[in-house]
Amino acid sequence: AQSVTQPDIHITVSEGASLELRCNYSYGATPYLFWYVQSPGQGLQLLLKYFSGDTLVQGIKGFEAEFKRSQSSFNLRKPSVHWSDAAEYFCAVGAEDMRFGAGTRLTVKP
Amino acid sequence: DTAVSQTPKYLVTQMGNDKSIKCEQNLGHDTMYWYKQDSKKFLKIMFSYNNKELIINETVPNRFSPKSPDKAHLNLHINSLELGDSAVYFCASSPRGDAREKLFFGSGTQLSVL
């Protein structure tokens, strides 16, 4: 079965700074990869997804992610973080079902 | 209109009680899911139903019983609640249950067992 690792439990960045959230996956074939965001008290919302083709994918709210097969990674990036980006971010792998990483909590400093 | 709605939003109950959480989706999706999110935010799939048929049943105590009266509804009944059942339970749906599909989540039910 597939699995997902998010090495960073909590990240703090200053507003306006760049952001990178790490995600590593394990799966025997080409995975379907996703990033979801969860705001406090809410369900998860899809930011972006990768199936095939261009390894750099654009998502909503100015986020992008890059698929690197050699590193089994799918890191999420944003050039300039806004205070409203503070949330929990989940990387996920879709195969037999959707498996989520443990999440990375993002705090944004003013 | 809320696409995936679950009730109640909060549920506080005593150990040993039986409780249910309801979920409805108005998206016309064939597949519905229950996920459990623990206090460390780890999100784990519990069940998946496709058009009222059980597809995935992860290692979950048999005190948890999902019921799907029709493809728009997937309810979760929990018997003999235990302290360790305290978590946030999320219902979700997807069009066909294909691994490439986006999941649509409800806003969660926070269950606290005292």
Side-chain angles (χ1 to χ4, degrees):
Chain A
Q2 73 273 36
S3 66
V4 185
T5 303
Q6 293 180 246
D8 305 306
I9 296 173
H10 184 201
I11 283 184
T12 299
V13 300
S14 297
E15 190 166 17
S18 64
L19 170 71
E20 183 169 30
L21 302 182
R22 296 184 290 165
C23 172
N24 294 95
Y25 68 89
S26 173
Y27 185 58
T30 300
Y32 305 130
L33 297 163
F34 305 79
W35 275 100
Y36 283 82
V37 60
Q38 183 183 25
S39 298
Q42 300 296 317
L44 280 69
Q45 180 187 16
L46 182 70
L47 283 175
L48 49 78
K49 59 187 179 184
Y50 170 79
F51 298 153
S52 63
D54 192 349
T55 55
L56 184 64
V57 293
Q58 303 297 322
I60 62 171
K61 304 184 181 185
F63 285 92
E64 65 179 27
E66 186 171 12
F67 170 61
K68 292 185 178 179
R69 185 187 302 275
S70 61
Q71 298 176 18
S72 297
S73 69
F74 188 57
N75 295 348
L76 182 71
R77 300 195 294 249
K78 186 169 184 178
S80 177
V81 169
H82 188 263
W83 64 266
S84 61
D85 294 325
E88 192 88 21
Y89 290 81
F90 292 91
C91 183
V93 179
E96 294 88 9
D97 55 60
M98 187 79 73
R99 300 282 168 147
F100 289 84
T104 297
R105 181 158 63 94
L106 174 65
T107 298
V108 180
K109 291 191 302 184
Chain B
D1 281 342
T2 303
V4 181
S5 58
Q6 49 184 114
T7 56
K9 189 167 178 62
Y10 301 97
L11 186 52
V12 181
T13 188
Q14 301 281 344
M15 269 198 312
N17 284 351
D18 303 338
K19 291 293 178 185
S20 292
I21 307 172
K22 295 185 176 182
C23 180
E24 175 181 5
Q25 53 95 4
N26 62 7
L27 298 166
H29 289 171
D30 284 344
T31 308
M32 295 183 72
Y33 311 81
W34 277 109
Y35 280 85
K36 178 181 179 181
Q37 187 176 46
D38 64 23
S39 58
K40 295 182 179 174
K41 300 292 187 181
F42 185 63
L43 200 63
K44 183 174 165 53
I45 191 168
M46 300 174 70
F47 302 103
S48 163
Y49 267 74
N50 185 280
N51 209 0
K52 302 194 299 175
E53 181 182 343
L54 180 66
I55 302 298
I56 293 173
N57 182 357
E58 289 293 302
T59 307
V60 175
N62 57 15
R63 299 181 294 104
F64 289 80
S65 53
K67 286 188 172 50
S68 183
D70 55 63
K71 74 174 193 177
H73 295 83
L74 181 62
N75 303 323
L76 184 65
H77 188 76
I78 315 170
N79 288 327
S80 304
L81 278 155
E82 300 178 357
L83 293 177
D85 298 333
S86 296
V88 181
Y89 292 84
F90 285 99
C91 179
S93 73
S94 67
R96 292 169 303 280
D98 188 304
R100 292 166 291 183
E101 292 171 345
K102 165 184 172 182
L103 292 179
F104 292 77
F105 281 85
S107 56
T109 296
Q110 185 166 332
L111 171 64
S112 299
V113 182
L114 308 178

XYZ file of all heavy atoms in Angstrom, chain A residues 1 16 18-19 23 31 40 43-44 48 54 57 59 62 65 67-68 75 77-78 80 87 94 98 103-105:
184
model
N 0.845 -1.194 0.000
C 0.000 0.000 0.000
C 0.881 1.244 0.000
O 2.037 1.207 0.398
C -0.898 0.014 1.235
N 4.946 37.290 3.883
C 5.741 37.787 2.771
C 6.930 36.913 2.417
O 7.489 37.029 1.319
N 8.939 33.268 1.621
C 8.604 32.103 0.802
C 8.382 30.885 1.690
O 8.832 30.843 2.845
C 9.712 31.832 -0.205
O 10.892 31.500 0.476
N 7.702 29.915 1.127
C 7.327 28.725 1.901
C 7.611 27.473 1.086
O 7.356 27.440 -0.124
C 5.831 28.784 2.218
C 5.202 27.516 2.814
C 5.679 27.315 4.242
C 3.679 27.604 2.753
N 7.076 16.792 1.326
C 6.244 15.590 1.275
C 7.030 14.504 0.537
O 7.525 14.732 -0.572
C 4.931 15.862 0.540
S 3.948 14.382 0.218
N 2.384 7.557 -8.702
C 1.262 7.864 -7.809
C 0.436 9.047 -8.300
O 0.884 9.826 -9.135
C 1.980 8.246 -6.517
C 3.247 8.894 -7.000
C 3.622 8.186 -8.281
N -8.872 25.939 10.500
C -9.424 25.515 11.788
C -10.931 25.292 11.740
O -11.671 26.133 11.226
C -9.057 26.677 12.716
C -7.841 27.273 12.103
C -8.017 27.138 10.624
N -13.335 21.233 7.039
C -12.852 20.056 6.341
C -11.688 20.411 5.437
O -11.251 21.567 5.374
N -11.168 19.429 4.735
C -10.016 19.645 3.870
C -10.456 20.167 2.502
O -11.494 19.767 1.979
C -9.245 18.333 3.686
C -8.305 17.919 4.813
C -9.063 17.513 6.064
C -7.390 16.795 4.361
N -4.086 21.407 -4.980
C -3.595 21.016 -6.296
C -3.400 19.514 -6.330
O -3.432 18.855 -5.300
C -2.285 21.739 -6.624
C -1.178 21.734 -5.562
C -0.422 20.438 -5.520
C -0.222 22.911 -5.799
N 3.585 17.541 -16.966
C 4.457 18.562 -16.396
C 4.594 18.357 -14.895
O 3.597 18.279 -14.168
C 3.871 19.945 -16.682
C 4.850 21.060 -16.382
O 5.907 20.785 -15.765
O 4.569 22.213 -16.756
N 3.137 21.712 -10.949
C 1.697 21.951 -11.057
C 1.305 23.181 -10.262
O 1.856 23.447 -9.189
C 0.879 20.737 -10.574
C 1.071 19.569 -11.508
C 1.240 20.339 -9.171
N -1.662 25.451 -8.364
C -2.902 25.239 -7.647
C -3.591 26.548 -7.336
O -3.246 27.599 -7.884
N -2.259 30.641 -5.195
C -0.862 30.926 -5.470
C 0.115 29.820 -5.121
O 1.335 30.013 -5.158
N 3.394 22.977 -6.708
C 4.121 21.822 -6.170
C 4.893 21.179 -7.304
O 4.477 21.221 -8.471
C 3.168 20.816 -5.538
N 6.746 17.633 -8.603
C 6.910 16.193 -8.480
C 8.327 15.830 -8.903
O 8.762 16.169 -10.010
C 5.900 15.464 -9.364
C 6.133 13.982 -9.485
C 6.097 13.174 -8.363
C 6.371 13.394 -10.718
C 6.294 11.800 -8.463
C 6.574 12.026 -10.833
C 6.535 11.234 -9.703
N 9.061 15.170 -8.010
C 10.408 14.710 -8.334
C 10.460 13.200 -8.091
O 10.587 12.742 -6.946
C 11.457 15.428 -7.486
C 11.595 16.908 -7.804
C 12.734 17.550 -7.027
C 12.892 19.009 -7.404
N 13.975 19.671 -6.648
N 6.882 18.427 -3.069
C 6.921 19.546 -2.133
C 6.035 20.694 -2.590
O 5.963 21.012 -3.781
C 8.358 20.031 -1.954
C 9.241 18.987 -1.292
O 8.757 17.979 -0.768
N 10.535 19.215 -1.329
N 5.009 24.703 -2.541
C 5.714 25.986 -2.414
C 4.757 27.145 -2.634
O 3.742 27.015 -3.320
C 6.851 26.074 -3.448
C 7.902 24.975 -3.308
C 9.139 25.305 -4.080
N 8.905 25.333 -5.525
C 9.387 24.456 -6.374
N 10.096 23.425 -5.930
N 9.173 24.562 -7.659
N 5.165 28.264 -2.038
C 4.473 29.528 -2.311
C 5.512 30.629 -2.186
O 6.250 30.678 -1.203
C 3.313 29.741 -1.348
C 2.484 30.984 -1.694
C 1.189 31.045 -0.910
C 0.360 32.235 -1.373
N -0.947 32.340 -0.682
N 5.281 33.898 -1.665
C 5.060 34.936 -0.660
C 3.826 34.558 0.158
O 2.698 34.576 -0.346
C 4.870 36.286 -1.346
O 4.588 37.293 -0.396
N -2.655 27.456 8.453
C -3.584 26.321 8.403
C -2.764 25.046 8.554
O -1.550 25.078 8.753
C -4.345 26.299 7.068
N -3.019 9.029 -3.844
C -4.193 8.271 -4.270
C -3.754 7.034 -5.019
O -3.020 7.119 -5.996
N -7.260 6.955 -0.797
C -6.494 8.168 -0.535
C -5.826 8.037 0.824
O -6.496 7.849 1.837
C -7.436 9.376 -0.549
C -6.730 10.694 -0.445
S -6.000 11.225 -1.995
C -7.471 11.679 -2.913
N 0.396 15.686 8.223
C 0.090 17.108 8.219
C 1.244 17.974 8.688
O 2.087 17.548 9.486
N 1.290 19.195 8.181
C 2.240 20.218 8.642
C 1.435 21.456 9.005
O 0.671 21.962 8.183
C 3.255 20.591 7.547
O 4.037 19.448 7.214
C 4.172 21.711 8.041
N 1.609 21.892 10.233
C 0.895 23.100 10.670
C 1.736 24.317 10.325
O 2.906 24.393 10.697
C 0.624 23.048 12.164
C -0.154 24.261 12.694
C -0.851 23.932 14.010
N 0.111 23.596 15.045
C 0.592 24.467 15.923
N 0.252 25.721 15.884
N 1.435 24.070 16.857
